[in-house]
Amino acid sequence: ADVAAAASAQRRQVSYAGAAGDAPTILCFGDSNTWGACPATARRFAAHVRWPGVMEARLRAEASERTDAAPRVVEAGLNGRTCATDDHVVTWLPPNDAASTNGRRALLPVLHSAKPVDVLIIMLGVNDLKRRFNLTPLDIAHGAGLLIDDARRAECGPVGADGGATTPPTPLPTPLPRSAPASRPRQAYEAACARASGAAPRAIDTLSLSRCGGRSRSCSPGRSS
């Protein structure tokens, strides 16, 4: 047991390139709303227009007023990304591997690339409402919960003051919208309004927040795929 504990501590110590005093890192992990897809053109909004860029600019301004280190915001959005579901009809991500939109498959590589991560914002769940996936609100909630569980086990948070123990990144899940995306093909989201209204948001929010220690903090609901 002592050898295992020492090995774990050593692994933590060599896992990070960040030094004490580095600016905090905020990782935005989401779908096309995070990527910045323009519904009218399908192209990408400019960096200063996308919500992670807007957030970073505001946080930098606030940090400047306090003479604090400005946080680093990492964008990790992908069109069509789900919480934990492969999409076998993906046609927009050549070579169109069905697993490419599965958020759970992508989260750990992204986390380890950006670590140490202080705050993880998960903005997913809208694409899971697509009719072809036939997922219930609890299915989607469990998928979001698995992402939070994986993030907590990844040892990608900031290194503790003693240089050994790590703190998991603070996950901030975003609630599902109360209506289906107006800018997307209606047939893909048929019945999405019914699944995203009533008890659905409460089931998803409650199950996700239970993994965040009961915190009610969240970003604005996502509205795109």
Side-chain angles (χ1 to χ4, degrees):
D2 291 341
V3 173
S8 178
Q10 177 68 10
R11 183 172 66 251
R12 291 190 182 100
Q13 288 177 343
V14 302
S15 292
Y16 303 102
D22 277 0
T25 296
I26 302 171
L27 174 60
C28 305
F29 186 76
D31 49 32
S32 65
N33 194 38
T34 301
W35 185 79
C38 174
T41 65
R43 295 184 178 180
R44 196 175 194 183
F45 285 119
H48 71 279
V49 177
R50 303 193 290 268
W51 73 262
V54 173
M55 178 178 67
E56 183 174 36
R58 291 182 180 179
L59 291 174
R60 286 185 176 276
E62 293 176 2
S64 177
E65 293 176 359
R66 300 190 306 267
T67 66
D68 293 337
R72 180 176 69 104
V73 176
V74 179
E75 292 179 312
L78 184 71
N79 295 340
R81 179 175 281 155
T82 64
C83 289
T85 303
D86 291 355
D87 190 343
H88 293 279
V89 298
V90 60
T91 58
W92 56 92
L93 299 172
N96 299 320
D97 182 359
S100 61
T101 59
N102 188 318
R104 194 179 186 196
R105 295 177 187 267
L107 178 60
L108 291 184
V110 170
L111 264 175
H112 284 293
S113 295
K115 67 186 180 186
V117 174
D118 297 87
V119 176
L120 168 63
I121 300 177
I122 301 175
M123 197 167 187
L124 291 173
V126 176
N127 287 300
D128 301 76
L129 291 168
K130 290 177 179 176
R131 179 179 60 177
R132 60 177 174 269
F133 297 140
N134 196 31
L135 298 176
T136 68
L138 280 180
D139 291 333
I140 301 173
H142 280 298
L146 288 172
L147 294 175
I148 296 173
D149 291 343
D150 289 348
R152 289 194 173 280
R153 290 193 294 262
E155 298 186 6
C156 288
V159 178
D162 59 359
T166 60
T167 302
T170 301
L172 298 180
T174 58
L176 280 176
R178 270 49 175 176
S179 60
S183 61
R184 296 304 181 191
R186 184 177 299 273
Q187 63 273 19
Y189 290 93
E190 185 176 345
C193 288
R195 292 199 299 277
S197 62
R202 290 193 293 274
I204 293 171
D205 294 350
T206 299
L207 191 54
S208 296
L209 289 172
S210 69
R211 288 173 160 93
C212 299
R215 287 186 296 273
S216 60
R217 293 178 299 166
S218 63
C219 293
S220 300
R223 291 188 297 276
S224 68
S225 64

